[in-house]
Amino acid sequence: MELTLTRPDDWHLHLRDDAALLTTVPDTARTFHRAIVMPNLKPPVTTVEAAIGYRERILDALPSGMSFDPLMTLYLAPELSPSTIREAVASAHIQGVKLYPRGATTNSDAGVANLNGVMTTLETMAEVGLPLLIHGEVTDRSIDIFDREAVFLDKTLGPLMERLPTLRVVLEHITTEDSVDFVKAHPEMGATITVHHLMYERNDMLAGGIRPHLYCLPILKRSSHRDALIEAATSGEGQFFLGTDSAPHAISDKESDCGCAGCYTAPFALELYAEVFETHGKLDRLEAFASLNGPDFYGLPRNTDTVTLIKKESIIPLAKAFGEKEVRILRGGEPVTWSVI
Ligand code: NCD
Ligand code: ZN
């Protein structure tokens, strides 16, 4: 069995920096032509100049013979000014601004504590049409971690959409039925869905032993939410598109007293998405999700080349080099039923 698709793109990706790029860039460029590159470096990417410099480092790490177009984002720090937004729109390489509620996830300390403080910047984004990409979780310690996404919709995103109805918003890595419903109720919005949130639910991480390599944020939820995500991803609906949120951390940082959040999915992401879509009898919808809906939402051309997958089982390697350390690959040591040729 063979499946040829328009070459896909990854609409939410962490490539990290420096030596890590020698692993992450080829792993993504092998199957994806473009990726929305997250700006949560240390220090975060808050200027157009820093984004362009980062893009150059990414391209320097691209092996010859591979093609890849990194689509850059700016990190919404409280001091990000409307003039930087105008400069970003004028640059050919910046496609969005990322909102991390302060303290929500990896490298979010410089994020936004209160949206009112960045309202003028958001108004400028609405005016010029630059998308806001949102990590949709509240950070209030009194809110249970499994409820943080749903509460964010109620308390933060709903009011924001009412206040700025023309702002273009992508709700990133959605993990709940609540988010699927919210996105459907706002037809102008987009949402990305990771492969790990389609494959796993919280018992996979917590029952029968704790599995730190499945720990990511937003955290895996109960299986009914996973089912709602599968339904949305395989629906063919234009609002939902592929975003791996591939987020590598060294094994020593994951298998630790206080382990980091993030799953390294990039090396076999497309193969794993194909497996999920096939399991649910929706392989014919994979191309819309992986290759068409994303560029249509961002107003970018669809890719013109293709990738081909064949039904051939292989074992995913357990880990690979990551700078001077190693990173575990999601589902490492286990089989995957599709291969990219
Ligand atoms: C991401 C990371 O490590 O940068 N981690 C994660 O669990 N997804 C940050 C993020 O997207 O939340
Ligand atoms: Zn992410």
Side-chain angles (χ1 to χ4, degrees):
M1 203 148 95
E2 200 174 286
L3 180 66
T4 295
L5 307 173
T6 302
R7 180 173 290 274
D9 306 297
D10 184 347
W11 300 94
H12 181 129
L13 175 67
H14 300 268
L15 289 172
R16 310 304 189 205
D17 207 349
D18 305 318
L21 295 174
L22 298 172
T23 299
T24 58
V25 173
D27 279 352
T28 286
R30 187 181 65 90
T31 42
F32 298 102
H33 176 55
R34 294 170 289 199
I36 288 273
V37 179
M38 289 295 124
N40 62 335
L41 303 182
K42 268 185 178 167
V45 179
T46 53
T47 64
V48 171
E49 196 188 353
I52 300 301
Y54 184 27
R55 184 170 190 273
E56 280 162 13
R57 294 196 297 285
I58 293 167
L59 290 175
D60 285 346
L62 185 69
S64 61
M66 279 187 157
S67 75
F68 183 53
D69 184 8
L71 310 176
M72 309 310 290
T73 58
L74 295 181
Y75 188 111
L76 183 55
E79 54 281 2
L80 191 79
S81 66
S83 69
T84 305
I85 297 299
R86 293 185 194 282
E87 202 191 325
V89 157
S91 127
H93 296 305
I94 297 184
Q95 296 296 342
V97 173
K98 178 68 192 242
L99 166 64
Y100 290 104
R102 186 176 296 170
T105 187
T106 309
N107 297 345
S108 61
D109 305 349
V112 172
N114 184 341
L115 278 186
N116 288 330
V118 291
M119 207 41 80
T120 334
T121 302
L122 296 177
E123 281 164 5
T124 308
M125 288 171 59
E127 184 196 320
V128 301
L130 190 65
L132 179 68
L133 319 183
I134 298 184
H135 183 111
E137 288 191 289
V138 291
T139 55
D140 185 341
R141 284 193 74 86
S142 68
I143 309 293
D144 189 276
I145 188 166
F146 293 102
D147 298 332
R148 287 181 179 191
E149 185 174 289
V151 173
F152 182 87
L153 304 175
D154 252 22
K155 293 273 187 301
T156 311
L157 191 53
L160 177 66
M161 304 293 286
E162 267 177 36
R163 178 147 181 196
L164 293 178
T166 57
L167 182 66
R168 300 184 56 223
V169 170
V170 184
L171 189 55
E172 302 280 29
H173 44 50
I174 58 171
T175 64
T176 56
E177 186 173 12
D178 312 67
S179 286
V180 170
D181 293 344
F182 188 97
V183 170
K184 285 186 181 162
H186 295 82
E188 67 288 1
M189 278 181 73
T192 56
I193 305 181
T194 78
V195 74
H196 48 287
H197 288 103
L198 297 176
M199 291 166 62
Y200 299 114
E201 42 90 9
R202 62 191 188 181
N203 289 284
D204 296 311
M205 177 179 59
L206 294 172
I210 186 161
R211 295 182 191 277
H213 296 287
L214 293 186
Y215 174 63
C216 64
L217 288 171
I219 201 158
L220 295 170
K221 307 295 192 301
R222 62 169 65 244
S223 63
S224 54
H225 290 299
R226 194 250 329 253
D227 296 345
L229 299 175
I230 292 171
E231 181 74 39
T234 63
S235 67
E237 275 295 317
Q239 288 180 277
F240 300 102
F241 37 90
L242 185 157
T244 61
D245 193 19
S246 176
H249 293 275
I251 293 176
S252 51
D253 294 330
K254 298 274 303 166
E255 298 176 9
S256 146
D257 181 42
C258 182
C260 294
C263 302
Y264 191 44
T265 53
F268 287 84
L270 186 60
E271 293 86 337
L272 291 170
Y273 277 113
E275 200 175 294
V276 171
F277 275 65
E278 186 190 23
T279 304
H280 297 278
K282 297 283 172 56
L283 260 187
D284 58 322
R285 302 271 169 83
L286 181 61
E287 185 178 44
F289 178 75
S291 315
L292 311 181
N293 297 346
D296 292 357
F297 178 88
Y298 276 90
L300 293 169
R302 295 174 174 182
N303 292 328
T304 48
D305 55 343
T306 59
V307 293
T308 299
L309 293 131
I310 52 164
K311 191 80 186 287
K312 179 170 162 249
E313 188 172 295
S314 66
I315 304 292
I316 297 181
L318 204 57
K320 64 193 306 181
F322 183 59
E324 289 177 354
K325 299 184 171 173
E326 285 207 306
V327 58
R328 273 286 291 266
I329 302 172
L330 185 92
R331 211 148 172 244
E334 294 178 46
V336 57
T337 51
W338 287 88
S339 300
V340 171
I341 52 167

